Amino acid sequence: MEIGKEEKLLLALLNEGLRVKEPVESKTLSKADGHTLSGIDWDKLENTARRHSVLSLLCYPCLGTEEIPEKFRTSVQKEARGIVLQNYHLLLAGRDMVELLAESGIPTAVLKGAAAARSYPEPELRKAGDIDLLVAPECLEEACKVLERLGCRAAQWQPALHHVALWTADGIEAEVHTMLAEPFDNEQMNLYLKRKLPECLEHMSRRQVMGVELPMLDYGHHAYELLLHMLQHFLRSGFGLRFLCDWVVLWREDIPEAEQKRYLGLVRESRLKGFSDMVTAACRDYLGLEESRISWMELPARISAKEFIQEVLEAEEFGK
């Protein structure tokens, strides 16, 4: 599949949306920006953004852009309002969970949603669907009992081997994980991840997101967990643009050199450097991730991410 003009414009708008913290007043898009609005099917663009769960991220670059149709801007604004409300609902529920687990002496790290959102210029706009918590395997049973005191109940059908899915009384899904990722088909990789779990839980710190402090993995292990999550989806059914957006904003942070080295050590030890390079190259080439932010990754001189980004665009949020 070739990248169509709607997909190109979506990538351009995301490129800007991942930078700005407020609406750009009376912005004019021009051919000088590398794209044109002529002949754009705005319904198609909106549907594509929805299927990738990135429509809310277009809020700031779209609201002040004169040539974008009012109908499209209204849809983006409505989506953004809903995402903000949902995110605060998840955030406060997650805060209550980790505080109760901490009081019970169970070390816990928040994964994915809130942990990824904190890197965004406006974290509230990054869509999240559930709460992901990481605990040591020996703490899993006790952690579930603790969460039951908050009114959580284990789902009747458990879809995975290394996490337990629970539901709160008001319909929020929480997953309590005992590995950085579900098992791969490669047993050597699974053993490696099992050995690394205690190290991950030793490299945690409390970080603020949307005004709330939560325990999260330090940068190196957090990045590695995001990469594993992408790889798992990629191998099974593919993944969409939101995962790449998470990658862009993460590496725009001021990452300590020690955490950069830790990340490189993890991907090299587990032989995932090639996948890491391809994901990073796609973010550089199509979503504006600056070369200066990733020069330490030592990407191959000649690496084309065109086929990869085409697969991402085709796969949509969680693959097909």
Side-chain angles (χ1 to χ4, degrees), residues 92-126:
L92 297 177
R95 178 200 61 187
D96 293 344
M97 291 178 187
V98 297
E99 286 183 355
L100 194 58
L101 289 167
E103 290 171 5
S104 302
I106 300 175
T108 308
V110 175
L111 303 176
K112 303 174 190 174
R118 68 166 301 277
S119 299
Y120 280 74
E122 199 72 51
E124 291 88 342
L125 294 177
R126 191 263 188 199

PDB file of all heavy atoms in Angstrom, residues 92-126:
ATOM      1  N   LEU A  92      -6.970   8.716  38.297  1.00  0.00           N
ATOM      2  CA  LEU A  92      -7.320   8.707  39.713  1.00  0.00           C
ATOM      3  C   LEU A  92      -7.558   7.289  40.214  1.00  0.00           C
ATOM      4  O   LEU A  92      -7.193   6.955  41.350  1.00  0.00           O
ATOM      5  CB  LEU A  92      -8.543   9.596  39.946  1.00  0.00           C
ATOM      6  CG  LEU A  92      -8.335  11.083  39.614  1.00  0.00           C
ATOM      7  CD1 LEU A  92      -9.616  11.865  39.806  1.00  0.00           C
ATOM      8  CD2 LEU A  92      -7.208  11.678  40.456  1.00  0.00           C
ATOM      9  N   ALA A  93      -8.140   6.445  39.357  1.00  0.00           N
ATOM     10  CA  ALA A  93      -8.318   5.049  39.748  1.00  0.00           C
ATOM     11  C   ALA A  93      -6.966   4.362  39.905  1.00  0.00           C
ATOM     12  O   ALA A  93      -6.738   3.604  40.859  1.00  0.00           O
ATOM     13  CB  ALA A  93      -9.167   4.317  38.709  1.00  0.00           C
ATOM     14  N   GLY A  94      -6.040   4.633  38.993  1.00  0.00           N
ATOM     15  CA  GLY A  94      -4.701   4.056  39.082  1.00  0.00           C
ATOM     16  C   GLY A  94      -3.948   4.532  40.302  1.00  0.00           C
ATOM     17  O   GLY A  94      -3.249   3.758  40.962  1.00  0.00           O
ATOM     18  N   ARG A  95      -4.115   5.813  40.631  1.00  0.00           N
ATOM     19  CA  ARG A  95      -3.476   6.346  41.836  1.00  0.00           C
ATOM     20  C   ARG A  95      -3.954   5.607  43.081  1.00  0.00           C
ATOM     21  O   ARG A  95      -3.150   5.217  43.946  1.00  0.00           O
ATOM     22  CB  ARG A  95      -3.801   7.839  41.975  1.00  0.00           C
ATOM     23  CG  ARG A  95      -3.220   8.490  43.223  1.00  0.00           C
ATOM     24  CD  ARG A  95      -3.958   9.774  43.554  1.00  0.00           C
ATOM     25  NE  ARG A  95      -5.380   9.516  43.828  1.00  0.00           N
ATOM     26  CZ  ARG A  95      -6.284  10.477  44.012  1.00  0.00           C
ATOM     27  NH1 ARG A  95      -5.927  11.743  43.920  1.00  0.00           N
ATOM     28  NH2 ARG A  95      -7.552  10.157  44.282  1.00  0.00           N
ATOM     29  N   ASP A  96      -5.261   5.389  43.198  1.00  0.00           N
ATOM     30  CA  ASP A  96      -5.794   4.677  44.360  1.00  0.00           C
ATOM     31  C   ASP A  96      -5.241   3.259  44.440  1.00  0.00           C
ATOM     32  O   ASP A  96      -4.937   2.756  45.527  1.00  0.00           O
ATOM     33  CB  ASP A  96      -7.321   4.631  44.286  1.00  0.00           C
ATOM     34  CG  ASP A  96      -7.963   6.021  44.446  1.00  0.00           C
ATOM     35  OD1 ASP A  96      -7.262   6.936  44.911  1.00  0.00           O
ATOM     36  OD2 ASP A  96      -9.148   6.158  44.104  1.00  0.00           O
ATOM     37  N   MET A  97      -5.089   2.621  43.290  1.00  0.00           N
ATOM     38  CA  MET A  97      -4.570   1.249  43.277  1.00  0.00           C
ATOM     39  C   MET A  97      -3.125   1.187  43.759  1.00  0.00           C
ATOM     40  O   MET A  97      -2.774   0.372  44.629  1.00  0.00           O
ATOM     41  CB  MET A  97      -4.674   0.672  41.860  1.00  0.00           C
ATOM     42  CG  MET A  97      -6.089   0.405  41.400  1.00  0.00           C
ATOM     43  SD  MET A  97      -6.127  -0.220  39.689  1.00  0.00           S
ATOM     44  CE  MET A  97      -7.891  -0.211  39.384  1.00  0.00           C
ATOM     45  N   VAL A  98      -2.257   2.035  43.203  1.00  0.00           N
ATOM     46  CA  VAL A  98      -0.840   1.943  43.576  1.00  0.00           C
ATOM     47  C   VAL A  98      -0.619   2.384  45.018  1.00  0.00           C
ATOM     48  O   VAL A  98       0.275   1.869  45.701  1.00  0.00           O
ATOM     49  CB  VAL A  98       0.042   2.755  42.605  1.00  0.00           C
ATOM     50  CG1 VAL A  98      -0.047   2.190  41.200  1.00  0.00           C
ATOM     51  CG2 VAL A  98      -0.284   4.229  42.618  1.00  0.00           C
ATOM     52  N   GLU A  99      -1.426   3.327  45.503  1.00  0.00           N
ATOM     53  CA  GLU A  99      -1.268   3.744  46.896  1.00  0.00           C
ATOM     54  C   GLU A  99      -1.641   2.617  47.842  1.00  0.00           C
ATOM     55  O   GLU A  99      -0.942   2.367  48.839  1.00  0.00           O
ATOM     56  CB  GLU A  99      -2.128   4.985  47.169  1.00  0.00           C
ATOM     57  CG  GLU A  99      -1.556   6.257  46.569  1.00  0.00           C
ATOM     58  CD  GLU A  99      -2.375   7.482  46.914  1.00  0.00           C
ATOM     59  OE1 GLU A  99      -3.459   7.322  47.543  1.00  0.00           O
ATOM     60  OE2 GLU A  99      -1.947   8.606  46.564  1.00  0.00           O
ATOM     61  N   LEU A 100      -2.715   1.888  47.534  1.00  0.00           N
ATOM     62  CA  LEU A 100      -3.125   0.775  48.386  1.00  0.00           C
ATOM     63  C   LEU A 100      -2.106  -0.359  48.319  1.00  0.00           C
ATOM     64  O   LEU A 100      -1.791  -0.993  49.333  1.00  0.00           O
ATOM     65  CB  LEU A 100      -4.509   0.275  47.967  1.00  0.00           C
ATOM     66  CG  LEU A 100      -5.216  -0.664  48.957  1.00  0.00           C
ATOM     67  CD1 LEU A 100      -5.379  -0.003  50.329  1.00  0.00           C
ATOM     68  CD2 LEU A 100      -6.596  -1.063  48.408  1.00  0.00           C
ATOM     69  N   LEU A 101      -1.557  -0.614  47.139  1.00  0.00           N
ATOM     70  CA  LEU A 101      -0.530  -1.645  46.996  1.00  0.00           C
ATOM     71  C   LEU A 101       0.736  -1.255  47.761  1.00  0.00           C
ATOM     72  O   LEU A 101       1.373  -2.100  48.397  1.00  0.00           O
ATOM     73  CB  LEU A 101      -0.215  -1.866  45.516  1.00  0.00           C
ATOM     74  CG  LEU A 101      -1.308  -2.572  44.709  1.00  0.00           C
ATOM     75  CD1 LEU A 101      -1.035  -2.450  43.213  1.00  0.00           C
ATOM     76  CD2 LEU A 101      -1.413  -4.040  45.103  1.00  0.00           C
ATOM     77  N   ALA A 102       1.092   0.019  47.711  1.00  0.00           N
ATOM     78  CA  ALA A 102       2.270   0.488  48.440  1.00  0.00           C
ATOM     79  C   ALA A 102       2.080   0.329  49.942  1.00  0.00           C
ATOM     80  O   ALA A 102       2.999  -0.089  50.663  1.00  0.00           O
ATOM     81  CB  ALA A 102       2.562   1.940  48.089  1.00  0.00           C
ATOM     82  N   GLU A 103       0.889   0.661  50.427  1.00  0.00           N
ATOM     83  CA  GLU A 103       0.600   0.495  51.853  1.00  0.00           C
ATOM     84  C   GLU A 103       0.697  -0.970  52.272  1.00  0.00           C
ATOM     85  O   GLU A 103       1.005  -1.271  53.433  1.00  0.00           O
ATOM     86  CB  GLU A 103      -0.799   1.025  52.167  1.00  0.00           C
ATOM     87  CG  GLU A 103      -0.922   2.541  52.065  1.00  0.00           C
ATOM     88  CD  GLU A 103      -2.374   3.003  52.157  1.00  0.00           C
ATOM     89  OE1 GLU A 103      -3.256   2.138  52.388  1.00  0.00           O
ATOM     90  OE2 GLU A 103      -2.630   4.208  51.994  1.00  0.00           O
ATOM     91  N   SER A 104       0.485  -1.880  51.335  1.00  0.00           N
ATOM     92  CA  SER A 104       0.554  -3.314  51.620  1.00  0.00           C
ATOM     93  C   SER A 104       1.950  -3.874  51.377  1.00  0.00           C
ATOM     94  O   SER A 104       2.155  -5.092  51.451  1.00  0.00           O
ATOM     95  CB  SER A 104      -0.460  -4.073  50.754  1.00  0.00           C
ATOM     96  OG  SER A 104      -1.766  -3.592  50.984  1.00  0.00           O
ATOM     97  N   GLY A 105       2.902  -2.991  51.056  1.00  0.00           N
ATOM     98  CA  GLY A 105       4.287  -3.423  50.878  1.00  0.00           C
ATOM     99  C   GLY A 105       4.564  -4.109  49.558  1.00  0.00           C
ATOM    100  O   GLY A 105       5.509  -4.900  49.460  1.00  0.00           O
ATOM    101  N   ILE A 106       3.765  -3.832  48.532  1.00  0.00           N
ATOM    102  CA  ILE A 106       3.943  -4.470  47.232  1.00  0.00           C
ATOM    103  C   ILE A 106       4.500  -3.443  46.241  1.00  0.00           C
ATOM    104  O   ILE A 106       3.786  -2.516  45.833  1.00  0.00           O
ATOM    105  CB  ILE A 106       2.606  -5.029  46.703  1.00  0.00           C
ATOM    106  CG1 ILE A 106       2.043  -6.063  47.685  1.00  0.00           C
ATOM    107  CG2 ILE A 106       2.798  -5.650  45.316  1.00  0.00           C
ATOM    108  CD1 ILE A 106       0.677  -6.584  47.309  1.00  0.00           C
ATOM    109  N   PRO A 107       5.781  -3.565  45.868  1.00  0.00           N
ATOM    110  CA  PRO A 107       6.358  -2.638  44.876  1.00  0.00           C
ATOM    111  C   PRO A 107       5.620  -2.759  43.548  1.00  0.00           C
ATOM    112  O   PRO A 107       5.399  -3.859  43.036  1.00  0.00           O
ATOM    113  CB  PRO A 107       7.805  -3.113  44.736  1.00  0.00           C
ATOM    114  CG  PRO A 107       8.073  -3.939  45.954  1.00  0.00           C
ATOM    115  CD  PRO A 107       6.766  -4.567  46.319  1.00  0.00           C
ATOM    116  N   THR A 108       5.223  -1.625  42.993  1.00  0.00           N
ATOM    117  CA  THR A 108       4.397  -1.615  41.785  1.00  0.00           C
ATOM    118  C   THR A 108       4.873  -0.515  40.852  1.00  0.00           C
ATOM    119  O   THR A 108       5.218   0.581  41.293  1.00  0.00           O
ATOM    120  CB  THR A 108       2.917  -1.348  42.145  1.00  0.00           C
ATOM    121  OG1 THR A 108       2.502  -2.265  43.155  1.00  0.00           O
ATOM    122  CG2 THR A 108       2.026  -1.499  40.920  1.00  0.00           C
ATOM    123  N   ALA A 109       4.887  -0.814  39.559  1.00  0.00           N
ATOM    124  CA  ALA A 109       5.189   0.205  38.553  1.00  0.00           C
ATOM    125  C   ALA A 109       4.003   0.327  37.609  1.00  0.00           C
ATOM    126  O   ALA A 109       3.405  -0.673  37.212  1.00  0.00           O
ATOM    127  CB  ALA A 109       6.440  -0.166  37.764  1.00  0.00           C
ATOM    128  N   VAL A 110       3.658   1.557  37.259  1.00  0.00           N
ATOM    129  CA  VAL A 110       2.612   1.804  36.259  1.00  0.00           C
ATOM    130  C   VAL A 110       3.245   1.722  34.879  1.00  0.00           C
ATOM    131  O   VAL A 110       4.276   2.345  34.620  1.00  0.00           O
ATOM    132  CB  VAL A 110       1.977   3.190  36.469  1.00  0.00           C
ATOM    133  CG1 VAL A 110       0.990   3.512  35.364  1.00  0.00           C
ATOM    134  CG2 VAL A 110       1.283   3.254  37.821  1.00  0.00           C
ATOM    135  N   LEU A 111       2.640   0.940  34.004  1.00  0.00           N
ATOM    136  CA  LEU A 111       3.159   0.750  32.650  1.00  0.00           C
ATOM    137  C   LEU A 111       2.262   1.444  31.622  1.00  0.00           C
ATOM    138  O   LEU A 111       1.131   1.808  31.913  1.00  0.00           O
ATOM    139  CB  LEU A 111       3.230  -0.742  32.302  1.00  0.00           C
ATOM    140  CG  LEU A 111       4.052  -1.655  33.213  1.00  0.00           C
ATOM    141  CD1 LEU A 111       3.915  -3.099  32.756  1.00  0.00           C
ATOM    142  CD2 LEU A 111       5.518  -1.239  33.243  1.00  0.00           C
ATOM    143  N   LYS A 112       2.804   1.590  30.417  1.00  0.00           N
ATOM    144  CA  LYS A 112       2.053   2.002  29.225  1.00  0.00           C
ATOM    145  C   LYS A 112       1.306   3.322  29.407  1.00  0.00           C
ATOM    146  O   LYS A 112       1.939   4.368  29.454  1.00  0.00           O
ATOM    147  CB  LYS A 112       1.092   0.887  28.792  1.00  0.00           C
ATOM    148  CG  LYS A 112       1.788  -0.441  28.504  1.00  0.00           C
ATOM    149  CD  LYS A 112       0.795  -1.544  28.230  1.00  0.00           C
ATOM    150  CE  LYS A 112       1.470  -2.894  28.174  1.00  0.00           C
ATOM    151  NZ  LYS A 112       0.538  -4.013  28.038  1.00  0.00           N
ATOM    152  N   GLY A 113      -0.033   3.293  29.516  1.00  0.00           N
ATOM    153  CA  GLY A 113      -0.865   4.492  29.453  1.00  0.00           C
ATOM    154  C   GLY A 113      -0.317   5.739  30.099  1.00  0.00           C
ATOM    155  O   GLY A 113       0.191   6.639  29.434  1.00  0.00           O
ATOM    156  N   ALA A 114      -0.423   5.819  31.416  1.00  0.00           N
ATOM    157  CA  ALA A 114       0.014   7.027  32.124  1.00  0.00           C
ATOM    158  C   ALA A 114       1.520   7.217  32.017  1.00  0.00           C
ATOM    159  O   ALA A 114       2.011   8.350  31.930  1.00  0.00           O
ATOM    160  CB  ALA A 114      -0.401   6.947  33.593  1.00  0.00           C
ATOM    161  N   ALA A 115       2.273   6.116  32.001  1.00  0.00           N
ATOM    162  CA  ALA A 115       3.732   6.204  31.913  1.00  0.00           C
ATOM    163  C   ALA A 115       4.153   6.762  30.556  1.00  0.00           C
ATOM    164  O   ALA A 115       5.114   7.539  30.463  1.00  0.00           O
ATOM    165  CB  ALA A 115       4.352   4.824  32.134  1.00  0.00           C
ATOM    166  N   ALA A 116       3.439   6.380  29.504  1.00  0.00           N
ATOM    167  CA  ALA A 116       3.740   6.911  28.175  1.00  0.00           C
ATOM    168  C   ALA A 116       3.242   8.347  28.035  1.00  0.00           C
ATOM    169  O   ALA A 116       3.911   9.196  27.437  1.00  0.00           O
ATOM    170  CB  ALA A 116       3.113   6.026  27.102  1.00  0.00           C
ATOM    171  N   ALA A 117       2.082   8.629  28.611  1.00  0.00           N
ATOM    172  CA  ALA A 117       1.462   9.953  28.459  1.00  0.00           C
ATOM    173  C   ALA A 117       2.305  11.065  29.068  1.00  0.00           C
ATOM    174  O   ALA A 117       2.280  12.196  28.567  1.00  0.00           O
ATOM    175  CB  ALA A 117       0.080   9.955  29.096  1.00  0.00           C
ATOM    176  N   ARG A 118       3.047  10.766  30.118  1.00  0.00           N
ATOM    177  CA  ARG A 118       3.776  11.831  30.814  1.00  0.00           C
ATOM    178  C   ARG A 118       4.811  12.514  29.928  1.00  0.00           C
ATOM    179  O   ARG A 118       5.233  13.637  30.211  1.00  0.00           O
ATOM    180  CB  ARG A 118       4.451  11.295  32.082  1.00  0.00           C
ATOM    181  CG  ARG A 118       5.592  10.333  31.858  1.00  0.00           C
ATOM    182  CD  ARG A 118       6.410  10.144  33.135  1.00  0.00           C
ATOM    183  NE  ARG A 118       6.957  11.398  33.597  1.00  0.00           N
ATOM    184  CZ  ARG A 118       8.081  11.927  33.116  1.00  0.00           C
ATOM    185  NH1 ARG A 118       8.741  11.337  32.159  1.00  0.00           N
ATOM    186  NH2 ARG A 118       8.522  13.079  33.595  1.00  0.00           N
ATOM    187  N   SER A 119       5.224  11.871  28.833  1.00  0.00           N
ATOM    188  CA  SER A 119       6.213  12.477  27.943  1.00  0.00           C
ATOM    189  C   SER A 119       5.592  13.452  26.946  1.00  0.00           C
ATOM    190  O   SER A 119       6.308  14.186  26.272  1.00  0.00           O
ATOM    191  CB  SER A 119       6.969  11.382  27.172  1.00  0.00           C
ATOM    192  OG  SER A 119       7.660  10.513  28.047  1.00  0.00           O
ATOM    193  N   TYR A 120       4.272  13.456  26.843  1.00  0.00           N
ATOM    194  CA  TYR A 120       3.601  14.298  25.853  1.00  0.00           C
ATOM    195  C   TYR A 120       3.555  15.754  26.298  1.00  0.00           C
ATOM    196  O   TYR A 120       3.493  16.041  27.508  1.00  0.00           O
ATOM    197  CB  TYR A 120       2.170  13.803  25.628  1.00  0.00           C
ATOM    198  CG  TYR A 120       2.060  12.618  24.704  1.00  0.00           C
ATOM    199  CD1 TYR A 120       2.428  11.350  25.121  1.00  0.00           C
ATOM    200  CD2 TYR A 120       1.592  12.759  23.397  1.00  0.00           C
ATOM    201  CE1 TYR A 120       2.331  10.243  24.276  1.00  0.00           C
ATOM    202  CE2 TYR A 120       1.484  11.666  22.546  1.00  0.00           C
ATOM    203  CZ  TYR A 120       1.856  10.415  22.987  1.00  0.00           C
ATOM    204  OH  TYR A 120       1.758   9.333  22.149  1.00  0.00           O
ATOM    205  N   PRO A 121       3.566  16.694  25.344  1.00  0.00           N
ATOM    206  CA  PRO A 121       3.405  18.104  25.706  1.00  0.00           C
ATOM    207  C   PRO A 121       2.122  18.340  26.501  1.00  0.00           C
ATOM    208  O   PRO A 121       2.087  19.151  27.416  1.00  0.00           O
ATOM    209  CB  PRO A 121       3.356  18.820  24.349  1.00  0.00           C
ATOM    210  CG  PRO A 121       4.009  17.897  23.388  1.00  0.00           C
ATOM    211  CD  PRO A 121       3.738  16.510  23.895  1.00  0.00           C
ATOM    212  N   GLU A 122       1.054  17.618  26.122  1.00  0.00           N
ATOM    213  CA  GLU A 122      -0.228  17.696  26.826  1.00  0.00           C
ATOM    214  C   GLU A 122      -0.684  16.259  27.106  1.00  0.00           C
ATOM    215  O   GLU A 122      -1.381  15.644  26.308  1.00  0.00           O
ATOM    216  CB  GLU A 122      -1.254  18.425  25.960  1.00  0.00           C
ATOM    217  CG  GLU A 122      -2.448  18.962  26.711  1.00  0.00           C
ATOM    218  CD  GLU A 122      -2.113  20.159  27.588  1.00  0.00           C
ATOM    219  OE1 GLU A 122      -1.500  21.106  27.085  1.00  0.00           O
ATOM    220  OE2 GLU A 122      -2.469  20.124  28.777  1.00  0.00           O
ATOM    221  N   PRO A 123      -0.278  15.692  28.249  1.00  0.00           N
ATOM    222  CA  PRO A 123      -0.537  14.265  28.521  1.00  0.00           C
ATOM    223  C   PRO A 123      -2.008  13.884  28.458  1.00  0.00           C
ATOM    224  O   PRO A 123      -2.343  12.752  28.105  1.00  0.00           O
ATOM    225  CB  PRO A 123       0.004  14.079  29.945  1.00  0.00           C
ATOM    226  CG  PRO A 123       1.014  15.165  30.127  1.00  0.00           C
ATOM    227  CD  PRO A 123       0.487  16.322  29.331  1.00  0.00           C
ATOM    228  N   GLU A 124      -2.887  14.820  28.779  1.00  0.00           N
ATOM    229  CA  GLU A 124      -4.320  14.517  28.799  1.00  0.00           C
ATOM    230  C   GLU A 124      -4.872  14.090  27.443  1.00  0.00           C
ATOM    231  O   GLU A 124      -5.904  13.427  27.356  1.00  0.00           O
ATOM    232  CB  GLU A 124      -5.114  15.741  29.282  1.00  0.00           C
ATOM    233  CG  GLU A 124      -4.928  16.098  30.737  1.00  0.00           C
ATOM    234  CD  GLU A 124      -3.750  17.025  30.985  1.00  0.00           C
ATOM    235  OE1 GLU A 124      -2.871  17.124  30.096  1.00  0.00           O
ATOM    236  OE2 GLU A 124      -3.706  17.652  32.050  1.00  0.00           O
ATOM    237  N   LEU A 125      -4.183  14.458  26.357  1.00  0.00           N
ATOM    238  CA  LEU A 125      -4.694  14.195  25.018  1.00  0.00           C
ATOM    239  C   LEU A 125      -4.302  12.821  24.484  1.00  0.00           C
ATOM    240  O   LEU A 125      -4.792  12.396  23.432  1.00  0.00           O
ATOM    241  CB  LEU A 125      -4.213  15.272  24.042  1.00  0.00           C
ATOM    242  CG  LEU A 125      -4.758  16.685  24.284  1.00  0.00           C
ATOM    243  CD1 LEU A 125      -4.145  17.663  23.301  1.00  0.00           C
ATOM    244  CD2 LEU A 125      -6.277  16.698  24.166  1.00  0.00           C
ATOM    245  N   ARG A 126      -3.430  12.111  25.180  1.00  0.00           N
ATOM    246  CA  ARG A 126      -3.000  10.784  24.723  1.00  0.00           C
ATOM    247  C   ARG A 126      -4.006   9.743  25.207  1.00  0.00           C
ATOM    248  O   ARG A 126      -4.207   9.552  26.402  1.00  0.00           O
ATOM    249  CB  ARG A 126      -1.607  10.487  25.281  1.00  0.00           C
ATOM    250  CG  ARG A 126      -0.933   9.259  24.673  1.00  0.00           C
ATOM    251  CD  ARG A 126      -1.121   8.041  25.533  1.00  0.00           C
ATOM    252  NE  ARG A 126      -0.338   6.898  25.060  1.00  0.00           N
ATOM    253  CZ  ARG A 126      -0.588   5.653  25.407  1.00  0.00           C
ATOM    254  NH1 ARG A 126      -1.601   5.366  26.230  1.00  0.00           N
ATOM    255  NH2 ARG A 126       0.157   4.667  24.944  1.00  0.00           N
TER     256      ARG A 126
END
